[in-house]
Amino acid sequence: MNAGSTAGAGAGAPPGLIDRLRHLGRRLRGFRRPDLWLARRIGRVLPDRLYLAIGHLIYFGRWPDYRQPRSFNEHIQAYMLRCRSPLLQLAADKAAARQWVIEQVGDTHVLPQLGLWTHAEAVPLRTLARPCVLKPTVGSGRVIFLRENDPPLDAAAEAALRLEMQRWLDTDFSRQSREWCYAGLRGRLLAEPMLTDPSEPGGIPPDHKVYVIGGAVRFIQVDRGRFGRHTRNLYDTDWRLLPVRLTLDNHAPDPRPAELDAMIALALKLAAPFEFLRVDLYLCEGRLIVGELTSYPGAGFERFMPSDFALELGAHWTRAMRARPDDQPA
């Protein structure tokens, strides 16, 4: 990654200002959902329940019932509002979740940790073993790839990456979509080796996301092209392609993984203490690697097509994980 020379730019500007302006420009060029940005800012003053309910109405066309949820989406948002189990916050912290996975199923299912830092300036960007990925321990969908054959970082590119990482640390992800699991968590920066698959666009292997609802695996999601043309297929536990879409378009059917039974068993083991858990996995030369543990997929705003599938999933949800005896739906 090379952002070019900064010589002569912004003469007289305060130190770091030009880097911040360039960083802002890059963010604005990739700004794809101004409506969502505006809605979040207008909704900042709303209490969590009303914020989510209005969003649900706008997105799904119906007012949700969080006391007696029926669809999977209603259940996810009711879960966000009512359940205050410390396990949800453990799962939301990638470093803590990694250690918990090791305690539950051993270290063969996690990647080595190349480093963990509390400040962006502390990350040794120029000397990290490549290829690797950098991501925040708190938050979802944020990642920086440092590939083996990338050109060396110049000063401007390094400054831009540090600004991006610091923005991750400064963001309160619990307020963006009212996801309680992030509330009060102190974000850090985590580096891991980068998994690669030369057969995939961008060289990134497909994600396998296993949905455990009511103590059973209800479906398995396969995402491809996450950083290009993102597509998604859904399968049942016998690896039959479901006639259902989840927000994105489908891709050609995926071959049945030889590790399917082990994948299901691993997800069930990790999800056992939870009402609901999505276990995100990668397959690497016959090895199952846990990427993340997800409690609120899409904050309940991902759309199943046909929508009846969300009702079918919701019927499997059972209340089994209360933080205290008086825990009641919001």
Side-chain angles (χ1 to χ4, degrees):
M1 181 174 184
N2 193 312
S5 173
T6 61
L17 177 59
I18 297 303
D19 290 331
R20 286 180 171 81
L21 290 173
R22 285 199 177 96
H23 178 65
L24 177 61
R26 277 189 289 270
R27 288 187 62 198
L28 291 175
R29 285 197 295 274
F31 200 38
R32 294 179 295 178
R33 291 294 306 274
D35 56 336
L36 184 58
W37 178 87
L38 181 61
R40 281 175 172 166
R41 273 144 187 81
I42 293 173
R44 279 178 174 174
V45 299
L46 298 177
D48 293 350
R49 186 185 187 285
L50 185 58
Y51 177 91
L52 290 171
I54 292 173
H56 196 282
L57 174 65
I58 293 171
Y59 198 69
F60 296 108
R62 61 183 296 272
W63 191 261
D65 184 347
Y66 295 138
R67 291 187 177 277
Q68 295 182 312
R70 294 178 61 235
S71 73
F72 178 71
N73 306 89
E74 283 179 309
H75 273 289
I76 288 292
Q77 293 182 347
Y79 198 33
M80 291 163 61
L81 292 168
R82 66 170 167 79
C83 188
R84 297 295 179 260
S85 168
L87 271 178
L88 296 182
Q89 294 206 306
L90 182 148
D93 182 322
K94 296 180 183 66
R98 178 183 182 277
Q99 185 58 40
W100 185 78
V101 168
I102 292 172
E103 293 168 2
Q104 300 301 307
V105 296
D107 60 6
T108 60
H109 295 295
V110 297
L111 290 172
Q113 184 175 285
L114 301 179
L116 190 64
W117 304 273
T118 57
H119 301 287
E121 290 300 322
V123 181
L125 288 171
R126 300 193 184 199
T127 58
L128 274 172
R130 299 191 181 195
C132 69
V133 297
L134 285 160
K135 51 190 175 182
T137 58
V138 175
S140 181
R142 276 75 176 173
V143 64
I144 290 171
F145 296 98
L146 296 178
R147 293 179 168 84
E148 192 170 10
N149 297 321
D150 285 345
L153 291 169
D154 64 17
E158 183 175 340
L161 291 185
R162 293 193 190 281
L163 283 170
E164 178 69 8
M165 291 188 292
Q166 192 59 47
R167 185 176 71 86
W168 296 344
L169 297 180
D170 293 340
T171 299
D172 182 355
F173 290 100
S174 71
R175 298 306 299 163
Q176 287 196 343
S177 297
R178 311 305 170 95
E179 295 174 281
W180 173 83
C181 65
Y182 296 128
L185 293 184
R186 180 188 180 194
R188 291 166 289 173
L189 299 164
L190 172 67
E192 294 176 337
M194 178 180 170
L195 295 175
T196 59
D197 184 341
S199 67
E200 289 294 311
I204 305 299
D207 285 345
H208 295 73
K209 302 177 185 292
V210 186
Y211 285 69
V212 183
I213 308 170
V217 174
R218 304 301 173 178
F219 70 94
I220 301 166
Q221 168 185 325
V222 179
D223 281 34
R224 293 183 179 272
R226 282 187 58 206
F227 302 96
R229 185 178 179 273
H230 192 178
T231 57
R232 177 176 292 156
N233 284 358
L234 307 186
Y235 298 89
D236 67 13
T237 53
D238 291 320
W239 208 252
R240 291 180 294 233
L241 182 63
L242 296 171
V244 179
R245 289 170 49 207
L246 178 54
T247 302
L248 301 174
D249 289 333
N250 293 128
H251 52 256
D254 303 276
R256 178 191 175 104
E259 304 84 358
L260 179 61
D261 290 343
M263 182 189 303
I264 291 170
L266 177 60
L268 288 172
K269 169 72 172 176
L270 294 175
F274 296 83
E275 280 183 45
F276 162 78
L277 191 69
R278 193 187 78 189
V279 181
D280 299 356
L281 299 166
Y282 295 99
L283 298 178
C284 184
E285 298 178 349
R287 180 182 170 198
L288 289 167
I289 303 294
V290 178
E292 295 184 21
L293 304 177
T294 302
S295 298
Y296 313 140
F301 287 115
E302 292 189 324
R303 192 192 310 272
F304 289 96
M305 295 163 276
S307 60
D308 286 352
F309 191 66
L311 293 171
E312 180 182 329
L313 292 175
H316 295 298
W317 194 298
T318 56
R319 291 282 300 275
M321 181 177 159
R322 293 187 176 184
R324 55 188 185 276
D326 62 344
D327 180 24
Q328 295 295 329

